[in-house]
Amino acid sequence: QVLLLESGGGSVQAGGSLRLSCTASGFTSSRPKFMAWFRQAPGKKREGVAELFDLTNHTNYVDSVKGRFTISQQNAENTVTVYLQMNSLTPEDTAMYYCAASMNWVVRALWSSEYENWGQGTQVTVSS
């Protein structure tokens, strides 16, 4: 069982920046193969925002955040911390942001069903 603990959410004005952090722990033999950030706004489906493949550091982003958000990862002996740097935020970025981890190969990029481990979420609110 992988435990994911998120932090870094908050309120910011449009054009501002936030950095989300998520620390994964509880894995034994190997690190998660994929780490990702998803978000869900009220009344909307959960959406994949950014994804990182541990082996190559290859990343995927949803089109709406390309050029504004950056996902990165820092590995320690028994933990992995994944970051989401969010710049040029707009009110459309307002949502609950969730960290996710997959110990398996992800076939469909940024699909929530590919991920079996989830954090509790951290709220991001962007005001105009």
Side-chain angles (χ1 to χ4, degrees):
Q1 182 76 19
V2 177
L3 178 65
L4 300 173
L5 186 60
E6 300 124 328
S7 63
S11 296
V12 66
Q13 288 192 326
S17 298
L18 284 173
R19 189 176 81 155
L20 306 183
S21 300
C22 170
T23 298
S25 61
F27 45 89
T28 53
S29 59
S30 61
R31 295 193 299 266
K33 285 186 171 62
F34 291 82
M35 297 289 295
W37 288 95
F38 290 78
R39 65 186 179 187
Q40 188 166 18
K44 294 189 176 181
K45 293 172 59 177
R46 189 167 294 190
E47 172 187 50
V49 175
E51 179 178 73
L52 188 147
F53 178 36
D54 178 73
L55 186 61
T56 63
N57 278 325
H58 178 74
T59 56
N60 291 313
Y61 296 93
V62 67
D63 286 346
S64 60
V65 308
K66 285 180 180 177
R68 301 188 298 122
F69 289 13
T70 303
I71 187 171
S72 61
Q73 180 169 310
Q74 186 172 26
N75 300 325
E77 183 174 353
N78 295 309
T79 62
V80 169
T81 299
V82 63
Y83 303 96
L84 186 67
Q85 178 65 44
M86 305 185 295
N87 299 327
S88 302
L89 285 162
T90 73
E92 289 68 38
D93 295 315
T94 295
M96 184 72 77
Y97 282 71
Y98 298 91
C99 176
S102 177
M103 303 300 291
N104 305 305
W105 290 96
V106 167
V107 177
R108 292 172 295 181
L110 298 173
W111 274 69
S112 59
S113 60
E114 296 280 350
Y115 288 83
E116 69 274 14
N117 301 287
W118 292 85
Q120 294 300 306
T122 184
Q123 178 68 38
V124 171
T125 302
V126 184
S127 58
S128 57

